[in-house]
Amino acid sequence: MRIKRRLQLNAAVSVLTALIIVLVLFTGLYRINKTNYLSIIAGDIITNAFERVTLRNDYLRNNTARSKEQWFAKYEQIGGLLKSASENFRDADDRKTIGEIINNQESIRKIFSAIVANREKKGSTPEAAELSHEVEDRLLSQLNMRVYKEILLSRRLLAASR
């Protein structure tokens, strides 16, 4: 009887141990997949921010409606990524960083829209053209600072996701 009871106890402990190991394994896999997904989101935000810089430079160089539309489409794409990030990142610091990126993103849109409006405004006199050029230079300086800040914040988010 003692041997039978001991065998049953050993079997129960073995099954329980196997269940715990499987539970730990699945929990680890879930966390790895979640971390990977968060890293992909943060990396995509950085990539799209650099692509948006390229589209901005294309617009400034060529002044075409297509490059302007592409810039705004990339802006919307980054907005979707930020929405996804705000839904998936749970840490309070990460949420604060995402909030800062969203605010910065809105500032970038306003500044780029101001550049577009400045370019669409026709200056008939040389003084008006010079003033328009000076305004654009200042807006570009502000835009560059905002983009730089967005990249830094996104890199902080990427580091936090790892």
Side-chain angles (χ1 to χ4, degrees):
M1 252 339 189
R2 287 176 75 191
I3 295 175
K4 185 177 179 184
R5 198 175 281 267
R6 197 167 211 163
L7 284 174
Q8 288 174 343
L9 184 62
N10 283 342
V13 168
S14 296
V15 169
L16 188 59
T17 302
L19 286 175
I20 291 172
I21 289 171
V22 168
L23 180 64
V24 168
L25 177 68
F26 281 123
T27 303
L29 287 175
Y30 171 77
R31 286 185 172 206
I32 289 170
N33 285 335
K34 182 74 170 177
T35 301
N36 186 41
Y37 179 68
L38 295 177
S39 293
I40 288 171
I41 291 173
D44 284 350
I45 291 171
I46 294 170
T47 302
N48 283 307
F50 281 124
E51 288 174 1
R52 192 176 56 196
V53 168
T54 303
L55 293 171
R56 180 202 65 196
N57 290 339
D58 184 43
Y59 174 74
L60 293 174
R61 193 174 329 108
N62 300 324
N63 202 22
T64 62
R66 182 171 187 255
S67 58
K68 178 177 69 171
E69 290 170 9
Q70 287 177 328
W71 189 94
F72 282 109
K74 190 60 68 176
Y75 168 82
E76 293 297 326
Q77 187 176 8
I78 294 172
L81 288 168
L82 288 170
K83 183 177 184 236
S84 177
S86 66
E87 294 168 355
N88 289 293
F89 280 86
R90 299 288 177 212
D91 187 61
D93 289 337
D94 295 342
R95 288 184 167 276
K96 182 180 175 189
T97 301
I98 292 168
E100 290 178 42
I101 295 171
I102 290 171
N103 290 338
N104 200 53
Q105 168 89 340
E106 187 59 30
S107 296
I108 288 171
R109 184 193 60 78
K110 288 178 182 177
I111 293 169
F112 186 77
S113 296
I115 290 171
V116 169
N118 184 53
R119 283 193 163 217
E120 290 175 351
K121 191 173 28 170
K122 303 290 183 200
S124 59
T125 64
E127 294 83 19
E130 184 178 325
L131 178 63
S132 177
H133 183 68
E134 184 177 328
V135 166
E136 184 172 312
D137 285 344
R138 289 183 182 187
L139 288 171
L140 280 172
S141 176
Q142 290 178 4
L143 186 61
N144 287 333
M145 288 187 301
R146 296 287 183 184
V147 168
Y148 182 71
K149 182 178 180 183
E150 181 180 37
I151 298 297
L152 289 177
L153 290 170
S154 298
R155 289 184 59 122
R156 184 187 317 162
L157 195 62
L158 179 62
S161 69
R162 292 183 176 176

